[in-house]
Amino acid sequence: MVPDLQPSGNGGGGGVEIERCRFFDTSGSVNGNGISHNLRQHNSATKVIPRPFPAQNSNSFSRHHSFQEQLINNCAAYWQPLKAIPLASYYKLHRVPSLDSLEAMAEERNDAQPIELPQSEPKVIEEPQDKVAQDGVHNKILEQVVRTPGRLPSPQPTHLTVPAPGQHRVLHEEGSGYVAPKFEGKELQMDQVMDQIEEKGFIPPEFVEPETNWFYNELGIDDMYFQTETVPAIVNHILSLYAGKVAAYARDDGRLEIRLDKEAADHAVYIDTSKPGVSVIDGPRYEQRIDEKYINASTGDCSYRVESFRSASHLPGEKDQRLRCYFVYKCQFGNSNPGLEETNLDIIGEKRFLQKATQNTKEIYQQVMNHVVTRTGPVIEMFEMESSREKRLVIAYRQGSAMGLFSALSDLYHYYGATSSRKYVEQFSNGITIMSIYLRPLPQSAATMRHPPIEASIHQIMKEVSLLYCIPQNKFQGHFASGRLSLQETIYAHCVWVFVGHFLNRLGSEYTSLASLLDPSNSAHAEMLSKIKRRLRTETFTSDYILEIINKYPDLIRSLYLAFANTHYVQTRGEQDDFIPTLSYLRLKVDPLLDDGQLKDKISKAVVNEHDEMVMTAFRVFNSSVLKTNFYTPTKVALSFRLNPNFLPGVEYPQPLFGMFLVISSEFRGFHLRFRDIARGGIRIVKSRNREAYSINARSLFDENYNLANTQQRKNKDIPEGGSKGVILLDVHHQDKVKVAFEKYIDSILDLLLKPTSPGIKDPIVDLHGQEEILFMGPDENTADLVNWATEHARKRGAPWWKSFFTGKSPSLGGIPHDAYGMTTLSVREYVLGIYRKLGLDEKAVRKLQTGGPDGDLGSNEILLGNEKYTAIVDGAGVIEDPDGLDHSELVRLAKKRSMISEYDTSKLSTAGYRVLVDEANVALPSGEVVNNGMIFRNTFHLRGGKQFDVFVPCGGRPESIDLSSVHKLIVDGKSTIPYIVEGANLFITQDAKLRLEKAGCILYKDASANKGGVTSSSLEVLASLSFDDKSFEENMCIREDGTAPPFYNAYVREVQDTIKRNAALEFEAIWREHQQSGIARSTLSDTLSVAITNLDEELQKSELWANVELRESVLEDALPKLLLDKIGLETIIQRVPENYLRAIFGSYLASRFVYEHGSSPGQFAFFDFMSKRMARLNGRQEAVVGMNGVGA
């Protein structure tokens, strides 16, 4: 609340003036000058105690200096009369000017109108909403934004205080909200400290008492510090501060710089000279150290709380320098494990906090705590301080979800001309962190007049805390801390830096020429091109090189950002927004906006070489490709961008994508790619063992995602959904943030799928796509235990399709877990059994190698369903082999328990058997061979020569575990050492390696054919969720609390299993038959069949066959599960399931049945014959119905 605002009587533009500030004492008495007699209540009223220093500075601290004059001067520094200038004029000055321009700026400001603080209700600017400014900039009012049809309300993942006109929350208590318990031994300790200082002899005796008094009474240090520290430690601190003063006297510039730090096991102290409102880029960077060493690492009972104070008085001889003190304490909880949902501060609070916090502070924190435990992102609250311009900013978030936020916040409020007097970081044993920062404006000067008043900037600071939460420390933080770029500009540049690293077209004309000579439809050629592309990219532009280039051009970043903002920034109520117009909005009104041609010309003139031009031009590509983004949504947890994938070069990515999402946070980066509007696929999280592995994973992230989605597209030939995939790459420093990364990834994508209806919380976004989008996702690597959260979160955010959003969820939510029912393995198993059946093999006599052990979904169920003679298994723990056969009952025990082979009972191995774990070294095998490194042995075991295996079923392992460079190890004398391979794990073997193995006589079925049971199960799970209404879905598809399943659920699971086996058998027979007839490799035929089915599917969906109602219903009756038809009825299903989804069912069913029957290259009239038979059956059925009706008549 702005204190004592009174309308100005001068009529000068409706301005206001501020009365002299009134400082009230506890009795409310005020002296004639408006100065309180109770001086201990106020920072500006701190008693001045003289301190020794060289004679030229002694006047500043004279005992005879008028205290009242000192107080009035201090007050006036913060409370000079203010009158109005337009905020747009503030914006022109909001950047840090050069030193040369400061004097000119001051002269310019001398003639300006006095400054006016904004009133509670912002002034309406009289400008038509549809008017386009002369510079071509047009603000996008809410009603003019492209709206996505049918999007439902979306509650916020973040809580942000939204100020309404005339409504402010005011804190009526004075002080910090903390009261340290009085340290009764303080006077005695002070005497002991002075005694020891005198004994050491470093400080002249006459200076000992005043230096000690200054440290104890004027730095704002509370009694908790003195009660915690030992006397020798306090002595060292005082001596260090005095040494800083002596060193300053010896310097040529006389500048006083103090650097003091002490780190103990359970606490730390940092004291530093600091200029209010200025971020120091070099220096000791104590706040960054506190972030990295204490706050970021805080978990559970190993957490640290922080208190920070700025000294009330200036340093001797330094008018703009003060001391900033930081005190870090290890938390002591009464209850260290209360549960994540516990909110009672008396239970979860830290002992010192509960002891020191006032009742008012506890009430604030309790309110914030109640909000934050229910949200994905942070809670951001602001409170006015009574009779002061100071604001109290309170931020709460989950531990570990915003690394580096404490230090980054300083850069943010410094940028807007604010400084902090006190800061607190509190940890709670339920895993919540709450920060409290007291902000005040800088004293006015020529250097600070470029900033808006704090009453205006505080709301922008609050909104940008949400942006800062997404990426607390971006790659261009230095530009932000120095004021050269705004937070929005630097985070925009950071996002484009990520984009450029993945998509900069740097392959050259040679690659294009080579690609034109090869057949992109040939999977072996396509894979070879992919490898060449990956190699070329790694040898040209590194991420560091790209970063170095972007850093050279802050002016270009500014112009490119403005073009981005002009497209995507929305002022939700135009000039009448509740928020005072933000700097982003004012940029659109003040700075010149360049079109794409002008940007191209500006880049060409600014850059110094071709590489720089390529990188900066990629910013233009990014801007033109973004269809929608949550960048300007007030509350968010990660930044998401829906991209138009048309910028991808066709020569590198021949199969065009339908949709692409890019998600960026400090903990991860990720993509979601899909090849059709209706598509489904899993979400996987990729971890990296070290920095080198991370670099490799980052370079291949998009290509791996593209290839996985493409494989999914081929795999989904039997179902209505096309292929999609999501890949999340954890940052090298955040390998433990699996859950945090997943939740942020999902929530930020939901921001772009759901309609926001909470003004100031989830504002409308510019949607250039303009069509409703629904994504169907499922579990994959490292996400299987997170899909329940995603389902519930989609329901909480109001997604109408929450039931079908994720498959593989808990049965209590209607999910059909793949692992529990062996869905993925059923398909793989059908191919293994098909080989045995065709060749007449005895399953029990087949020697089997399997990667992916009894702890995994696919591996465990393969063990449970199989009956072969297992001779070797490789999993995350290591390798176990026994030529005489591993004990089957022991393997079944591990599979049911989901345990690794490290728990295998080695007493059940034969004398020829052995086990080597990854952390073992120098292990002697029964053959006499010595294994030097267990990790290397595990990673290469599947490539060992010999003929000890008949069948190899990869059920786990990294992509490309067998490639063209290693496949020769499995070929001896031109013959494959393993006769039969069924690739259960995705992309385990590269396509060119598959072809080499098949040429060497191996019967091989690839992943796109074998591993499709899971997608079939998921598709039928989605279909059930779309067909039932919410009530019926819960009654028929959700496991009850007592663990019993509805009868329909069990029957439906069995029908899903039968469908998986039927579809796998159809494709197995089609590939076997085609290979027998043509001799074409099975790996190639698998892709050929997939392409034939998907192409025909798309044609059928667009054909006039759909318009034939009788045919449509006939096909749907054959394609839909019989149980659903019997339970719900075809007519109701057609009403509930989206038409584009029904079209996809119609097309995929007809296409797959035709291709499986007639092959991938059918005769000219084959489809006519196929459809004629179906129409004849349909007509016969209709005639039979008519005949039955006639008989009945």
Side-chain angles (χ1 to χ4, degrees):
M1 175 179 291
V2 179
D4 299 329
L5 286 179
Q6 299 294 335
S8 172
N10 60 12
V16 296
E17 293 182 350
I18 301 177
E19 287 187 357
R20 181 181 299 274
C21 57
R22 300 169 64 85
F23 288 79
F24 292 89
D25 65 8
T26 53
S27 64
S29 63
V30 183
N31 71 11
N33 291 320
I35 306 300
S36 169
H37 295 290
N38 188 346
L39 301 175
R40 293 188 179 183
Q41 301 293 325
H42 319 290
N43 285 340
S44 57
T46 304
K47 184 177 179 182
V48 179
I49 297 178
R51 298 180 292 284
F53 209 71
Q56 63 266 33
N57 292 326
S58 60
N59 290 338
S60 301
F61 301 92
S62 170
R63 287 180 183 271
H64 306 292
H65 184 79
S66 168
F67 173 72
Q68 192 175 50
E69 291 177 10
Q70 175 82 26
L71 182 56
I72 293 173
N73 290 337
N74 286 347
C75 181
Y78 281 96
W79 290 86
Q80 294 178 7
L82 302 176
K83 294 186 179 179
I85 67 167
L87 283 180
S89 299
Y90 270 123
Y91 180 74
K92 291 179 180 177
L93 303 171
H94 89 280
R95 298 190 182 286
V96 175
S98 65
L99 293 176
D100 296 336
S101 65
L102 279 176
E103 183 177 349
M105 185 184 301
E107 293 176 358
E108 177 185 348
R109 293 292 301 122
N110 287 337
D111 299 328
Q113 292 294 320
I115 300 167
E116 175 189 284
L117 283 175
Q119 301 181 57
S120 297
E121 296 186 4
K123 181 180 177 182
V124 177
I125 300 174
E126 298 295 336
E127 179 182 354
Q129 291 187 354
D130 58 351
K131 179 180 177 181
V132 179
Q134 292 180 357
D135 59 3
V137 180
H138 183 61
N139 183 41
K140 296 170 182 61
I141 309 303
L142 172 58
E143 289 74 20
Q144 299 167 332
V145 178
V146 179
R147 302 301 296 270
T148 302
R151 292 164 71 180
L152 294 187
S154 169
Q156 64 276 18
T158 306
H159 180 85
L160 176 68
T161 302
V162 184
Q167 295 180 359
H168 301 278
R169 290 181 300 172
V170 180
L171 296 182
H172 298 286
E173 72 172 359
E174 298 183 10
S176 66
Y178 286 78
V179 178
K182 185 176 181 181
F183 177 30
E184 298 296 342
K186 187 174 180 179
E187 295 296 331
L188 176 61
Q189 184 193 67
M190 193 173 172
D191 289 338
Q192 294 173 345
V193 166
M194 288 189 286
D195 289 344
Q196 289 197 17
I197 291 176
E198 289 180 350
E199 289 176 7
K200 292 184 180 291
F202 292 116
I203 299 179
E206 65 271 22
F207 291 165
V208 170
E209 183 174 355
E211 285 295 323
T212 306
N213 282 332
W214 176 67
F215 184 81
Y216 267 78
N217 299 319
E218 291 196 38
L219 292 187
I221 303 174
D222 67 23
D223 282 10
M224 181 68 73
Y225 162 82
F226 297 106
Q227 195 166 3
T228 303
E229 289 290 357
T230 63
V231 169
I234 297 173
V235 169
N236 287 335
H237 293 168
I238 295 174
L239 290 175
S240 298
L241 294 176
Y242 184 81
K245 298 177 183 179
V246 174
Y249 182 65
R251 289 173 53 144
D252 291 337
D253 58 7
R255 187 172 182 81
L256 176 57
E257 287 189 356
I258 294 174
R259 305 282 189 267
L260 171 64
D261 59 85
K262 176 203 171 184
E263 297 175 349
D266 60 348
H267 69 282
V269 177
Y270 305 94
I271 301 177
D272 184 22
T273 46
S274 165
K275 182 177 179 180
V278 176
S279 294
V280 180
I281 299 176
D282 50 7
R285 298 174 66 82
Y286 287 143
E287 290 194 350
Q288 285 77 7
R289 191 191 299 189
I290 291 170
D291 259 332
E292 294 168 4
K293 190 165 185 177
Y294 299 105
I295 300 177
N296 291 353
S298 288
T299 54
D301 56 357
C302 187
S303 300
Y304 295 86
R305 62 185 300 270
V306 180
E307 299 182 8
S308 175
F309 314 97
R310 187 182 300 279
S311 62
S313 58
H314 300 296
L315 291 174
E318 298 283 344
K319 293 183 178 180
D320 59 350
Q321 290 271 78
R322 300 194 183 199
L323 280 186
R324 167 67 80 176
C325 307
Y326 302 90
F327 303 97
V328 183
Y329 301 100
K330 188 172 183 180
C331 292
Q332 301 174 10
F333 295 113
N335 185 340
S336 60
N337 190 24
L340 298 178
E341 302 304 318
E342 179 61 60
T343 60
N344 189 329
L345 294 190
D346 293 331
I347 297 175
I348 61 179
E350 198 268 345
K351 291 182 179 179
R352 290 187 185 90
F353 165 77
L354 295 175
Q355 191 177 25
K356 295 178 64 175
T358 63
Q359 185 60 34
N360 190 58
T361 293
K362 291 179 181 178
E363 289 173 0
I364 292 172
Y365 280 27
Q366 186 65 70
Q367 176 188 3
V368 169
M369 181 66 69
N370 294 339
H371 283 303
V372 73
V373 296
T374 64
R375 302 185 183 274
T376 313
V379 168
I380 306 165
E381 298 268 13
M382 187 272 290
F383 300 88
E384 310 273 3
M385 302 298 291
E386 187 176 39
S387 301
S388 168
R389 295 181 69 192
E390 194 168 59
K391 317 293 179 186
R392 184 177 185 180
L393 188 63
V394 180
I395 303 166
Y397 58 93
R398 297 183 184 277
Q399 284 180 344
S401 65
M403 303 299 216
L405 183 62
F406 178 68
S407 56
L409 282 169
S410 297
D411 294 335
L412 177 60
Y413 57 73
H414 288 166
Y415 183 83
Y416 286 101
T419 185
S420 64
S421 58
R422 305 177 296 284
K423 295 190 281 192
Y424 301 91
V425 181
E426 300 294 353
Q427 308 287 355
F428 296 88
S429 58
N430 64 345
I432 297 298
T433 299
I434 300 182
M435 295 183 183
S436 190
I437 304 173
Y438 292 77
L439 298 178
R440 60 175 56 172
L442 291 172
Q444 283 195 351
S445 65
T448 60
M449 287 181 180
R450 66 191 182 278
H451 300 296
I454 193 170
E455 289 75 15
S457 62
I458 187 63
H459 300 304
Q460 181 70 3
I461 291 172
M462 291 172 65
K463 292 177 74 172
E464 294 200 6
V465 167
S466 178
L467 189 61
L468 201 63
Y469 175 82
C470 297
I471 308 177
Q473 300 289 336
N474 69 74
K475 289 293 182 179
F476 303 92
Q477 193 77 17
H479 286 298
F480 175 48
S482 65
R484 286 190 295 269
L485 293 173
S486 69
L487 177 66
Q488 296 177 8
E489 288 162 342
T490 55
I491 291 186
Y492 161 79
H494 178 99
C495 293
V496 182
W497 168 74
V498 173
F499 175 86
V500 173
H502 290 292
F503 300 117
L504 186 62
N505 185 7
R506 50 201 186 263
L507 301 181
S509 58
E510 295 82 2
Y511 177 87
T512 305
S513 300
L514 176 61
S516 65
L517 298 175
L518 300 176
D519 179 10
S521 63
N522 185 310
S523 52
H525 291 186
E527 190 163 315
M528 183 176 69
L529 282 172
S530 176
K531 290 182 178 180
I532 294 173
K533 175 175 60 178
R534 189 159 57 244
R535 176 61 62 86
L536 288 173
R537 283 182 169 172
T538 60
E539 293 177 353
T540 311
F541 283 67
T542 65
S543 61
D544 289 340
Y545 182 41
I546 295 170
L547 182 63
E548 178 186 335
I549 291 173
I550 297 174
N551 261 314
K552 292 191 292 187
Y553 302 106
D555 289 338
L556 288 181
I557 292 173
R558 199 171 296 131
S559 296
L560 289 158
Y561 167 77
L562 183 57
F564 171 82
N566 182 59
T567 301
H568 295 284
Y569 184 83
V570 178
Q571 191 76 5
T572 53
R573 291 178 55 197
E575 307 287 2
Q576 304 176 49
D577 202 296
D578 282 344
F579 284 128
I580 293 170
T582 64
L583 295 181
S584 302
Y585 173 64
L586 293 169
R587 279 293 298 274
L588 304 181
K589 297 292 185 183
V590 177
D591 287 3
L593 175 68
L594 305 180
D595 61 27
D596 191 61
Q598 292 170 319
L599 284 172
K600 179 180 179 181
D601 185 57
K602 184 172 183 176
I603 291 171
S604 299
K605 292 177 180 178
V607 297
V608 296
N609 57 49
E610 182 183 358
H611 280 183
D612 291 13
E613 185 169 13
M614 289 173 65
V615 170
M616 299 312 297
T617 297
F619 278 72
R620 292 172 45 229
V621 176
F622 176 81
N623 284 357
S624 63
S625 300
V626 177
L627 297 177
K628 50 185 172 178
T629 177
N630 70 347
F631 192 93
Y632 294 105
T633 300
T635 61
K636 49 194 168 286
V637 295
L639 297 172
S640 55
F641 304 88
R642 168 59 162 95
L643 301 174
N644 183 341
N646 290 344
F647 70 88
L648 294 173
V651 68
E652 297 183 46
Y653 304 99
Q655 183 73 14
L657 287 168
F658 179 87
M660 176 194 304
F661 288 85
L662 168 62
V663 185
I664 301 172
S665 175
S666 59
E667 296 89 2
F668 70 94
R669 62 180 67 174
F671 289 98
H672 186 274
L673 310 178
R674 74 189 198 273
F675 282 94
R676 285 190 191 168
D677 183 14
I678 301 296
R680 73 160 314 280
I683 308 298
R684 68 168 50 182
I685 294 178
V686 177
K687 296 182 177 182
S688 308
R689 182 175 294 273
N690 50 43
R691 184 175 292 277
E692 180 182 3
Y694 174 78
S695 297
I696 295 171
N697 289 335
R699 287 196 297 266
S700 62
L701 174 63
F702 180 80
D703 285 351
E704 179 177 337
N705 197 160
Y706 179 90
N707 292 333
L708 287 168
N710 205 5
T711 299
Q712 196 79 28
Q713 172 79 352
R714 296 193 299 270
K715 192 188 300 184
N716 290 8
K717 61 180 76 70
D718 298 324
I719 63 176
E721 300 96 340
S724 71
K725 206 74 173 181
V727 178
I728 301 169
L729 175 64
L730 294 177
D731 184 81
V732 65
H733 301 297
H734 299 286
Q735 294 298 300
D736 59 337
K737 297 294 189 303
V738 170
K739 186 173 184 291
V740 169
F742 180 82
E743 291 181 358
K744 289 186 175 184
Y745 175 89
I746 294 299
D747 190 77
S748 60
I749 288 180
L750 287 175
D751 283 346
L752 303 185
L753 300 179
L754 299 175
K755 176 183 176 183
T757 59
S758 306
I761 302 298
K762 287 293 182 185
D763 286 343
I765 61 175
V766 176
D767 187 352
L768 301 180
H769 183 59
Q771 298 178 7
E772 183 180 8
E773 293 188 281
I774 303 176
L775 301 184
F776 300 107
M777 302 179 179
D780 206 312
E781 291 181 14
N782 298 311
T783 62
D785 57 344
L786 301 173
V787 297
N788 283 354
W789 177 89
T791 302
E792 293 284 11
H793 189 63
R795 173 158 60 176
K796 289 177 182 177
R797 291 202 57 179
W801 27 259
W802 68 270
K803 300 190 301 294
S804 58
F805 182 44
F806 256 87
T807 55
K809 52 189 175 289
S810 166
S812 63
L813 293 172
I816 303 177
H818 298 172
D819 54 350
Y821 297 103
M823 298 302 191
T824 306
T825 310
L826 285 172
S827 179
V828 174
R829 194 72 199 152
E830 198 64 34
Y831 283 83
V832 174
L833 294 176
I835 293 174
Y836 297 163
R837 184 174 64 253
K838 291 290 185 182
L839 301 178
L841 300 177
D842 179 6
E843 180 180 350
K844 294 182 179 180
V846 174
R847 299 170 301 171
K848 185 175 183 179
L849 164 65
Q850 180 177 310
T851 57
D855 61 311
D857 166 14
L858 191 55
S860 62
N861 282 300
E862 180 67 18
I863 290 172
L864 295 174
L865 294 175
N867 201 24
E868 295 93 342
K869 179 182 178 181
Y870 273 93
T871 51
I873 291 179
V874 181
D875 69 3
V879 177
I880 189 165
E881 182 182 19
D882 192 335
D884 296 336
L886 296 168
D887 185 89
H888 188 262
S889 61
E890 179 66 3
L891 290 179
V892 169
R893 181 185 71 82
L894 294 180
K896 289 181 177 180
K897 188 182 175 184
R898 288 296 180 89
S899 298
M900 291 186 177
I901 59 168
S902 54
E903 296 189 26
Y904 186 94
D905 183 357
T906 53
S907 66
K908 297 184 178 181
L909 292 172
S910 70
T911 55
Y914 62 86
R915 183 183 65 190
V916 178
L917 302 180
V918 292
D919 55 355
E920 294 180 333
N922 302 319
V923 179
L925 304 184
S927 64
E929 178 186 357
V930 176
V931 175
N932 296 319
N933 185 297
M935 179 70 72
I936 296 174
F937 184 73
R938 189 279 306 272
N939 292 345
T940 58
F941 181 83
H942 62 281
L943 297 172
R944 290 168 66 87
K947 295 184 178 180
Q948 65 268 43
F949 310 116
D950 299 315
V951 65
F952 176 24
V953 182
C955 294
R958 293 297 297 159
E960 302 185 6
S961 292
I962 302 175
D963 59 15
L964 197 59
S965 65
S966 60
V967 69
H968 67 276
K969 297 179 181 179
L970 298 178
I971 299 174
V972 177
D973 299 329
K975 298 292 291 182
S976 172
T977 58
I978 303 178
Y980 323 117
I981 298 177
V982 176
E983 188 183 25
N986 286 324
L987 304 177
F988 188 84
I989 310 173
T990 63
Q991 182 68 11
D992 47 11
K994 290 187 183 85
L995 296 178
R996 287 288 299 273
L997 286 168
E998 289 204 60
K999 188 176 180 180
C1002 180
I1003 295 177
L1004 190 151
Y1005 281 89
K1006 68 181 298 181
D1007 52 351
S1009 294
N1011 185 338
K1012 66 177 184 177
V1015 302
T1016 303
S1017 172
S1018 296
S1019 178
L1020 294 174
E1021 181 183 325
V1022 167
L1023 180 60
S1025 69
L1026 293 173
S1027 301
F1028 282 112
D1029 58 23
D1030 284 4
K1031 182 180 179 182
S1032 299
F1033 182 78
E1034 186 173 342
E1035 291 175 354
N1036 293 284
M1037 288 296 295
C1038 296
I1039 302 297
R1040 303 184 179 101
E1041 292 184 1
D1042 60 2
T1044 60
F1048 179 87
Y1049 181 91
N1050 290 329
Y1052 192 68
V1053 166
R1054 288 192 294 271
E1055 185 166 8
V1056 170
Q1057 292 174 323
D1058 292 340
T1059 302
I1060 290 171
K1061 291 189 283 187
R1062 182 169 60 252
N1063 288 344
L1066 285 171
E1067 185 174 358
F1068 175 86
E1069 293 293 341
I1071 293 174
W1072 189 277
R1073 183 183 65 248
E1074 289 247 330
H1075 175 74
Q1076 295 291 94
Q1077 294 173 355
S1078 65
I1080 298 174
R1082 294 177 177 85
S1083 300
T1084 302
L1085 287 173
S1086 176
D1087 293 336
T1088 305
L1089 286 173
S1090 296
V1091 171
I1093 292 173
T1094 53
N1095 289 344
L1096 180 58
D1097 177 8
E1098 292 173 0
E1099 292 179 13
L1100 288 172
Q1101 291 187 45
K1102 300 173 185 176
S1103 71
E1104 295 181 358
L1105 292 174
W1106 174 257
N1108 187 326
V1109 178
E1110 291 80 9
L1111 175 63
R1112 179 202 311 168
E1113 293 181 352
S1114 170
V1115 173
L1116 291 176
E1117 284 180 350
D1118 290 344
L1120 296 173
K1122 186 176 184 300
L1123 279 172
L1124 278 182
L1125 290 170
D1126 293 343
K1127 187 74 175 179
I1128 302 173
L1130 179 60
E1131 183 177 350
T1132 304
I1133 292 175
I1134 291 175
Q1135 291 174 353
R1136 291 175 177 171
V1137 178
E1139 182 179 326
N1140 56 352
Y1141 197 92
L1142 291 173
R1143 278 180 178 266
I1145 294 174
F1146 176 85
S1148 63
Y1149 182 82
L1150 282 179
S1152 62
R1153 275 19 184 203
F1154 170 75
V1155 173
Y1156 288 155
E1157 182 178 338
H1158 294 274
S1160 57
S1161 302
Q1164 185 175 359
F1165 300 102
F1167 188 73
F1168 176 79
D1169 292 339
F1170 174 79
M1171 290 304 300
S1172 296
K1173 293 177 182 177
R1174 171 165 282 279
M1175 294 303 295
R1177 265 200 329 272
L1178 176 60
N1179 292 334
R1181 189 184 308 169
Q1182 291 173 340
E1183 290 173 1
V1185 171
V1186 171
M1188 290 177 63
N1189 289 339
V1191 171

